[in-house]
Amino acid sequence: MPDFPLTALRSVEITTPHLAGSVEFYTKVWGLDVAAEAGGTVYLAATGSDFHVLELTPGEATSLRKISFRARSQEDLHRLFARARQAGCEVISSPAPSPAPSGGMSFVVRELQGCAIEFVHADRTKPPRMIADRPERLAHVNINSADIENLSAFYQGTLGFRLSDRSKLMAFLCCNDDHHAVVLAEAPVNGLNHVAFLMPNLESVMRGSGRMVDHGYPIGWGVGRHGPGDNVFAYFVDPAGAVIEYTAEVLQIDDSYVAKGPGDWVWPPGRTDQWGIAPPKSDACKTAQLAVPFATSIVTAARA
């Protein structure tokens, strides 16, 4: 595999105007557990080894506050910081011990299209456990971009990602064996498109989707199988208006994988996935995928 300075997508932080309701949804319905609470933020864990995969922070509106990636080494962390500054990113915090309960060393920058990105190393982990119909970790984050090519160049040239596939409207980027950890979607506005949570298998996606439907959350798109990444999917809109996805069976790739182009990802008329059984995406889902902006400010209490 390429020599990636980042090893994984770790977590995302989302602001919500209804913190208690969002926490109840993600713990009682979606399948996460409260890992910690600090400074008004609730940290939620999946069943894998990450200390947390989701941070919920009170806010006037729903927004993406930051994306967090894990660096391979402390040296890589400092190299990434230097490269981000050189690329013109706004520095929100410099490398230092993280104030979050997950610990480790971290820094935060804002890339030129407005998304805050955190990089961490040596953060706390926990023993993983398998629970059939609950998320194990994050699979990917999908970002809306009015300029995919420039943002893709930043992720590749500055952060060391590799382009794994390019469809007509999306660029798929990897930083490990997963086909993609970041997806960039062509859109009229910059912001969050959706966050995908990895489930153990197809059966778990189906059972998790059934649990969501039982609790009054209709499937916004799916169940189906994507083209790029070959992963199973089911999309939903959470109570705060963010689009979230259960996914499984993400394609594993290595150095021999050859990125395909838009002409390779074309379905017959009316089809929205490989299988040809997923109905069209709901209007509510499509609207929500364009409705969550990047947070305009991010200040950590210990570094204010």
Side-chain angles (χ1 to χ4, degrees):
M1 288 298 294
D3 189 27
F4 293 119
L6 296 172
T7 62
L9 168 67
R10 184 193 69 161
S11 60
V12 296
E13 181 178 4
I14 294 176
T15 64
T16 169
H18 307 292
L19 180 62
S22 290
V23 172
E24 181 175 19
F25 164 77
Y26 278 102
T27 55
K28 300 292 178 60
V29 183
W30 193 247
L32 305 181
D33 294 312
V34 174
E37 299 182 39
T41 294
V42 179
Y43 297 78
L44 298 172
T47 64
S49 60
D50 296 310
F51 180 84
H52 69 278
V53 297
L54 177 63
E55 298 173 49
L56 294 175
T57 298
E60 292 184 2
T62 304
S63 66
L64 178 64
R65 200 158 185 256
K66 70 172 186 287
I67 306 169
S68 181
F69 296 100
R70 185 172 287 111
R72 178 178 55 184
S73 67
Q74 187 162 313
E75 292 74 19
D76 284 311
L77 190 76
H78 286 278
R79 276 194 289 268
L80 285 162
F81 180 67
R83 288 159 65 177
R85 290 185 65 182
Q86 189 175 32
C89 293
E90 173 193 352
V91 175
I92 296 172
S93 64
S94 300
S98 172
S102 49
M105 295 285 292
S106 71
F107 72 88
V108 184
V109 296
R110 189 184 305 280
E111 49 86 1
L112 297 182
Q113 293 188 26
C115 184
I117 308 175
E118 178 184 38
F119 301 87
V120 300
H121 175 65
D123 56 322
R124 292 173 59 190
T125 57
K126 58 183 176 62
R129 55 200 178 103
M130 168 92 58
I131 300 179
D133 61 350
R134 290 176 54 184
E136 297 178 332
R137 59 175 172 88
L138 291 191
H140 62 266
V141 60
N142 188 310
I143 298 299
N144 292 326
S145 172
D147 189 348
I148 285 182
E149 299 309 326
N150 273 339
L151 190 55
S152 179
F154 167 77
Y155 270 93
Q156 294 178 69
T158 301
L159 306 184
F161 280 73
R162 175 188 171 190
L163 181 71
S164 49
D165 273 309
R166 182 69 162 91
S167 66
K168 181 180 179 181
L169 299 177
M170 296 185 183
F172 297 80
L173 300 160
C174 64
C175 65
N176 53 35
D177 292 348
D178 285 353
H179 178 271
H180 54 277
V182 172
V183 183
L184 308 178
E186 184 177 310
V189 294
N190 299 324
L192 176 66
N193 186 289
H194 69 271
V195 180
F197 294 75
L198 185 71
M199 298 290 266
N201 47 40
L202 169 59
E203 177 77 8
S204 297
V205 171
M206 300 299 287
R207 290 189 177 277
S209 297
R211 181 175 63 243
M212 287 287 287
V213 171
D214 286 345
H215 284 83
Y217 297 95
I219 297 176
W221 186 30
V223 176
R225 186 179 287 278
H226 285 310
D230 198 37
N231 46 313
V232 177
F233 67 88
Y235 287 54
F236 302 88
V237 181
D238 83 356
V243 177
I244 50 180
E245 175 189 355
Y246 282 143
T247 192
E249 301 181 359
V250 178
L251 181 67
Q252 299 297 287
I253 63 175
D254 59 21
D255 235 352
S256 66
Y257 186 81
V258 178
K260 300 179 181 65
D264 297 305
W265 303 113
V266 179
W267 307 131
R271 177 176 289 205
T272 66
D273 75 321
Q274 278 199 62
W275 289 335
I277 61 170
K281 190 180 298 179
S282 71
D283 289 340
C285 186
K286 288 190 285 188
T287 298
Q289 285 183 289
L290 295 174
V292 178
F294 299 136
T296 56
S297 64
I298 171 172
V299 180
T300 56
R303 301 173 180 173

